[in-house]
């Protein structure tokens, strides 16, 4: 069985996907569960993910991604969209969900909710949006590792126009804004990037 290092060496930021190959729904379900299991600050999961498969929409997204072909050719496009705000109501709902899913009295977690709300209220809107985006990036990392384990190719991408993605996918209406995406599918045999050696700082430089 491959180790996590085998998987991370196998994966690469796929530049050209095979547009004729579709990822199976069972594999995609594993990726969705992995994203949902990613760690987030306080557990708030302040982002949502659109998974786009419709070719007409993928073509529109490609145009809004500087014509990067991955967005049209990959079978599933995971679009991570950060919540623009963090409200007291959202935290209250999260606390109710915590009590339900752990089958514990609401009163036993209300203090935790108050603590979270206190922490949030000390920050301005810009901080909150950036904080929410950071949580989405942790989930992106989890997705990349999970995809590699499934032997699915992926490409993390920031090279797109968030405002256009928001409009195409109706994210703004939901209080969300796209921050990072991951086309997922199968690499094209013609993708030269799969043969490139990994370029990384030596461990002795990375670790202080
Ligand atoms: C946040 C982020 C944004 C990226 N944006 C793009 C992008 O828009 N287009 C692209 O082809 N690659 C993009 N990449 C891929 C990186 O260039 C790639 O991960 C890096 O060069 C390391 O190579 P490897 O992932 O193949 O090991 C992005 C990677 C990350 C993590």
């Amino acid at each position: 069985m491959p180790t996590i290092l085998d998987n991370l060496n196998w994966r690469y930021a796929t530049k050209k996907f095979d547009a004729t190959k579709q990822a199976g729904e069972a594999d995609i379900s594993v990726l969705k569960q992995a994203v949902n299991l990613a760690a987030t600050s306080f557990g708030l999961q302040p982002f949502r993910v659109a998974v786009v498969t419709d070719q007409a929409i993928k073509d529109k997204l490609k145009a809004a991604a500087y014509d990067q072909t991955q967005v049209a050719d990959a079978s599933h496009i995971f679009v991570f969209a950060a919540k623009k705000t963090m409200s007291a109501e959202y935290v209250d709902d999260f606390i109710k969900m915590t009590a339900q899913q752990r089958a514990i009295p609401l009163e036993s977690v209300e203090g935790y909710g108050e603590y979270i709300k206190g922490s949030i209220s000390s920050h301005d809107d810009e901080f909150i949006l950036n904080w929410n985006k950071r949580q989405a990036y942790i989930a992106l990392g989890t997705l990349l590792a999970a995809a590699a384990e499934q032997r699915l190719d992926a490409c993390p991408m920031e090279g797109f126009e968030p405002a256009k993605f928001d409009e195409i996918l109706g994210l703004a209406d939901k209080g969300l804004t796209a921050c990072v995406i991951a086309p997922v599918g199968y690499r094209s045999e013609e993708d030269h990037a799969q043969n490139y050696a990994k370029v990384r700082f030596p461990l002795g430089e990375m670790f202080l």
Side-chain angles (χ1 to χ4, degrees), residues 145-156:
E149 189 172 305
Q150 304 291 109
R151 291 299 181 261
L152 277 173
D153 289 296
C155 185

Side-chain angles (χ1 to χ4, degrees), residues 9-197:
N9 275 303
W10 176 86
R11 68 148 296 279
Y12 73 107
T14 304
K15 302 295 172 192
K16 189 169 168 48
F17 284 85
D18 184 336
T20 67
K21 290 190 184 160
Q22 295 293 306
E25 280 311 314
D27 281 344
I28 293 299
S29 171
V30 170
L31 298 191
K32 288 179 177 174
Q33 292 174 65
V35 164
N36 197 38
L37 286 167
T40 57
S41 188
F42 294 129
L44 287 170
Q45 299 182 283
F47 59 86
R48 296 294 179 264
V49 187
V51 182
V52 181
T53 54
D54 181 88
Q55 193 59 50
I57 299 177
K58 288 195 286 188
D59 289 341
K60 279 190 198 166
L61 294 179
K62 178 193 165 213
Y66 308 105
D67 274 330
Q68 295 192 81
T69 58
Q70 297 100 314
V71 183
D73 293 344
S75 100
H76 291 67
I77 314 301
F78 282 69
V79 179
F80 291 82
K83 281 177 60 63
K84 288 189 192 164
T85 58
M86 178 51 63
S87 66
E89 291 72 30
Y90 184 92
V91 176
D92 287 341
D93 286 345
F94 166 72
I95 289 298
K96 277 184 207 144
M97 185 170 77
T98 302
Q100 275 165 10
Q101 294 190 2
R102 291 191 172 154
I104 53 175
L106 185 59
E107 303 83 72
S108 69
V109 272
E110 276 173 337
Y112 183 48
E114 293 309 313
Y115 176 75
I116 295 172
K117 286 187 266 186
S119 168
I120 288 163
S121 65
S122 65
H123 297 295
D124 63 19
D125 292 349
E126 190 187 354
F127 178 95
I128 293 291
L129 174 58
N130 283 323
W131 183 59
N132 291 349
K133 286 180 181 176
R134 291 201 292 272
Q135 313 312 313
Y137 278 79
I138 296 169
L140 168 76
T142 306
L143 170 84
L144 294 177
E149 189 172 305
Q150 304 291 109
R151 291 299 181 261
L152 277 173
D153 289 296
C155 185
M157 296 174 69
E158 276 178 329
F160 65 92
E161 295 175 80
K164 290 190 179 164
F165 268 54
D166 293 353
E167 197 189 320
I168 294 164
L169 300 174
L171 298 174
D173 299 342
K174 297 184 169 75
L176 300 165
T177 183
C179 58
V180 70
I181 66 172
V184 170
Y186 292 97
R187 64 186 71 176
S188 162
E189 284 175 15
E190 295 162 16
D191 187 0
H192 300 301
Q194 67 194 288
N195 302 316
Y196 297 163

